[in-house]
Amino acid sequence: SVAVRQNWAPIGAKRFLQLVDDGHFDVGVPLFRCLRNFICQFGLSSQPERNRRRYRAIPDDSPWLPQGPSNRERDGRVRFPKGYLAYAGAGHNSRSIQLIIALQDSRQLAGGSPWEVPWGELLGNASFATLDQIYTGYGEKGPSQGVLNNKGWTNDLKLKFPLLDHILSCFRVEQISKKDSRQ
C-alpha cells in the first residue's frame, strides 16, 4: 500500500494518480534498476505504446526536506527513509513516468534535489515485506531504459532477465483525510 501525500508534492502526487487512473501500471511495469540497499527505479511500461503516450515532464515541487550535505540526517532521521517514493528525474522539471523507491534509508541522495521531492510512502508491514523481496541482483546491469521505452518487455528481455520483478496492478483503495496525513 502506498500513501500518496499530496501535501508533500502536489504536482508529483497528481501525476502518480493520473498514471494509476490511466491503468499505466496494470499491464506490467518492470522494476528495471534496483540497487541493493539503495533504490529501485521503475515506471516504464511493458507495453511501448504506453511509454509513447509521452506524458509531458512536470514541474518540480517545492522541496520540503532539508537540503544539502549537512542535512542528510537530522535528529536521528534520514532525509529519505525506506519506503519513500519520488520521481527519477534528470534535472530541473524533468519528472515524467519514471519513479524511485528507497529500499533502505538513504542519506546520500533522494529528496535533496528538486526533482526528487517525495510524494508518497509505503504503509503497512506487508508492503515493507514485499519491498524487501524485490530482486536486486541485476543492479545497474538490468534492462536498458531505451529498449524498455521503445520496445517494451520483449521475449529477449524475459530470457535475459528472468528474475526481474514487475508491478502488475495499481489502483486507488481509499482517500486519507488531511488530519491523517503528515503536515
Side-chain angles (χ1 to χ4, degrees):
S1 297
V2 173
V4 177
R5 306 293 189 187
Q6 293 183 5
N7 55 331
W8 290 3
I11 300 167
K14 181 178 179 182
R15 168 55 58 86
F16 176 74
L17 292 173
Q18 176 189 13
L19 293 169
V20 170
D21 293 344
D22 286 351
H24 182 78
F25 298 99
D26 298 342
V27 295
V29 170
L31 283 73
F32 66 88
R33 182 176 169 254
C34 298
L35 310 175
R36 187 171 166 253
N37 296 323
F38 187 41
I39 60 166
C40 184
Q41 185 173 341
F42 61 98
L44 293 170
S45 175
S46 294
Q47 296 179 349
E49 60 275 8
R50 287 185 174 268
N51 298 327
R52 287 190 201 111
R53 283 188 186 167
R54 301 288 182 206
Y55 292 93
R56 290 184 178 199
I58 56 175
D60 297 332
D61 281 293
S62 298
W64 56 270
L65 292 171
Q67 296 186 47
S70 63
N71 288 308
R72 290 182 175 157
E73 187 169 337
R74 181 181 280 175
D75 300 325
R77 293 197 54 190
V78 296
R79 180 169 52 208
F80 201 84
K82 180 178 181 177
Y84 268 32
L85 292 121
Y87 285 86
H92 289 284
N93 302 316
S94 64
R95 303 178 304 165
S96 181
I97 62 172
Q98 293 198 48
L99 308 166
I100 56 173
I101 187 167
L103 300 177
Q104 295 294 323
D105 292 350
S106 177
R107 288 174 180 84
Q108 63 265 41
L109 89 113
S113 299
W115 55 91
E116 295 173 340
V117 174
W119 52 263
E121 64 182 322
L122 288 186
L123 292 179
N125 292 336
S127 297
F128 282 93
T130 299
L131 184 68
D132 290 339
Q133 296 301 310
I134 291 174
Y135 183 72
T136 59
Y138 300 125
E140 294 279 7
K141 296 182 179 175
S144 153
Q145 292 181 49
V147 171
L148 285 172
N149 189 48
N150 296 316
K151 296 184 179 180
W153 186 240
T154 65
N155 286 331
D156 288 342
L157 291 177
K158 290 176 190 176
L159 292 172
K160 190 171 181 180
F161 303 102
L163 301 176
L164 200 75
D165 291 306
H166 291 72
I167 296 171
L168 301 177
S169 69
C170 188
F171 52 91
R172 294 184 193 219
V173 292
E174 65 183 70
Q175 298 284 349
I176 297 175
S177 70
K178 281 192 172 190
K179 69 178 185 178
D180 292 333
S181 63
R182 290 187 195 178
Q183 298 302 315

